[in-house]
Amino acid sequence: MKKVYIVIVNWNGWRDTVECLESLLALNYSPYTVVICDNGSRDESLHKLRDWMEEREIDWAEYTAAEAETGGIPSWDHPFVLIRTGENLGFAGGNNVALRYALSRDDFGWAWLLNNDTVVDPGALSALVRRIDEKPSAGMCGSTLRYYGRRDKVQAYGGGHYCSWVGLPWHYGRFAPPWFQADPAAAERSMNYVEGASLLVSREFLREVGLMCEDYFLYFEEADWANRAQGHFTLAYAPESVVYHKVGRSIGTRSNPRKKSYTCDYFNVRNRILFTRRYYPKALPAVSLVLLGAMLLRVLLLKFDRAAMIWKLLFGEGTGGLPSAREPRR
């Protein structure tokens, strides 16, 4: 069996991270190394994570980001690694630090990106590896994501389909009734990106396509990654890989605009514009109209600061400040 690096980014969420780590201890796959990137947490995360590993008598190493990105100490091979990034690098930035660590050591077959607010079934990783092995053209593979609080309800079958003309994703079976029986093949065909809450990526993919783009900070990184891989790798879905997701514990992710945090709202809007401009420029007028509708909705909800934010991102200085296309540092 090829080694897997399991990558978890923590930001002020040690309780969720510890619960996720506890579930990883029951995995029926080996060998693996768990890499925890602390993204500049300001709570007790580092102390609590160290305490947990000591209480569990886990063999672990700790590095700064600079030490980790050069592979750490070559002679050390610990099953758990804690990396201090020193600042909040965003979703892609935190994951990329761990991926550079894995690539520098070059002793693995796959990396499993896993949200810290997840809990995994014991067979989740084995199923991912088995499915991606069955499909040699695949560079990324997703899991069945179920809601942590409602385990009978599915958040995503592997991934979703990004609809370029409205700038929004669509999930297979999203509004299906409780008795809906998913067709794994249909779910896999519908995907044009893999959900980043549980995403297995091959070493070959990382070497050829590169790391995640850090321009987005939050959201759209997986869709960007999949777009860059088109023509080189396909996507896969492992239905028997079950992961329970708490959804947006760190930054208040919600689909309901009444309940979204400002951070969630801002990066969703900003990155829809950025992603559309980068990959689907012809769809920008249509996406802009959809966002104008979203702005009006926020006015009706008396969220005038959110409406002003959308206007600035569409027409003001915020638009000019969006980054241009660039590859992430390898």
Side-chain angles (χ1 to χ4, degrees):
M1 303 277 282
K2 294 180 182 178
K3 183 177 181 178
V4 177
Y5 278 91
I6 304 174
V7 177
I8 299 172
V9 176
N10 176 79
W11 182 69
N12 297 328
W14 64 268
R15 290 179 179 84
D16 288 330
T17 301
V18 165
E19 187 177 5
C20 178
L21 295 173
E22 287 282 356
S23 72
L24 293 178
L25 295 179
L27 285 173
N28 60 15
Y29 183 96
S30 67
Y32 66 80
T33 293
V34 178
V35 183
I36 311 156
C37 266
D38 184 76
N39 236 357
S41 293
R42 295 183 178 180
D43 63 356
E44 299 179 302
S45 283
L46 283 170
H47 296 299
K48 294 293 186 180
L49 292 171
R50 293 181 189 120
D51 288 347
W52 178 81
M53 288 186 282
E54 288 176 0
E55 288 169 7
R56 277 291 196 165
E57 298 183 347
I58 286 170
D59 182 19
W60 59 286
E62 184 171 335
Y63 298 114
T64 65
E67 292 168 340
E69 289 179 338
T70 56
I73 298 176
S75 60
W76 288 8
D77 188 18
H78 299 274
F80 279 68
V81 174
L82 177 62
I83 301 174
R84 308 186 309 274
T85 68
E87 59 180 313
N88 189 355
L89 303 177
F91 179 74
N95 278 299
N96 283 349
V97 171
L99 292 175
R100 291 188 191 101
Y101 171 74
L103 288 167
S104 294
R105 296 183 72 88
D106 200 27
D107 59 350
F108 70 107
W110 301 279
W112 186 18
L113 277 58
L114 192 63
N115 274 21
N116 78 308
D117 62 346
T118 60
V119 172
V120 307
D121 269 3
L125 180 53
S126 296
L128 283 168
V129 171
R130 186 164 59 248
R131 177 60 187 140
I132 206 168
D133 255 348
E134 291 170 352
K135 191 175 181 182
S137 64
M140 289 192 285
C141 187
S143 301
T144 299
L145 291 172
R146 293 186 175 272
Y147 288 99
Y148 178 88
R150 287 191 57 188
R151 299 198 173 193
D152 61 324
K153 187 176 180 182
V154 173
Q155 178 196 359
Y157 295 97
H161 182 87
Y162 179 79
C163 307
S164 60
W165 292 101
V166 293
L168 290 170
W170 176 264
H171 288 159
Y172 169 83
R174 183 174 182 178
F175 296 116
W179 59 85
F180 174 71
Q181 294 294 316
D183 177 355
E188 188 174 270
R189 287 194 302 270
S190 74
M191 291 164 44
N192 60 16
Y193 73 92
V194 174
E195 280 289 340
S198 174
L199 188 162
L200 188 76
V201 59
S202 70
R203 181 177 63 174
E204 292 75 21
F205 182 102
L206 294 170
R207 291 289 187 195
E208 186 170 338
V209 178
L211 302 179
M212 293 182 120
C213 180
E214 298 178 16
D215 289 345
Y216 300 95
F217 195 78
L218 285 173
Y219 311 127
F220 284 80
E221 299 93 344
E222 312 102 297
D224 183 282
W225 223 3
N227 267 45
R228 285 163 45 206
Q230 287 181 5
H232 301 276
F233 294 93
T234 60
L235 308 177
Y237 163 49
E240 295 175 358
S241 174
V242 180
V243 173
Y244 303 98
H245 189 199
K246 297 173 186 176
V247 186
R249 289 288 282 263
S250 296
I251 46 89
T253 301
R254 296 288 189 278
S255 56
N256 186 336
R258 288 182 182 274
K259 299 180 180 180
K260 279 184 181 180
S261 70
Y262 187 92
T263 300
C264 170
D265 223 4
Y266 172 79
F267 281 107
N268 260 313
V269 173
R270 172 193 182 271
N271 293 340
R272 282 164 76 181
I273 299 169
L274 172 58
F275 185 76
T276 302
R277 180 191 292 175
R278 184 167 291 179
Y279 293 107
Y280 305 103
K282 291 181 180 179
L284 192 57
V287 171
S288 298
L289 285 174
V290 173
L291 288 173
L292 286 173
M295 184 183 73
L296 178 59
L297 177 59
R298 280 147 184 79
V299 170
L300 294 174
L301 293 173
L302 305 182
K303 294 182 177 290
F304 301 114
D305 59 334
R306 312 290 182 92
M309 173 267 291
I310 295 174
W311 180 268
K312 287 180 180 178
L313 285 170
L314 278 171
F315 306 112
E317 57 187 75
T319 303
L322 292 179
S324 57
R326 62 180 172 86
E327 290 295 314
R329 180 170 62 87
R330 304 229 176 177

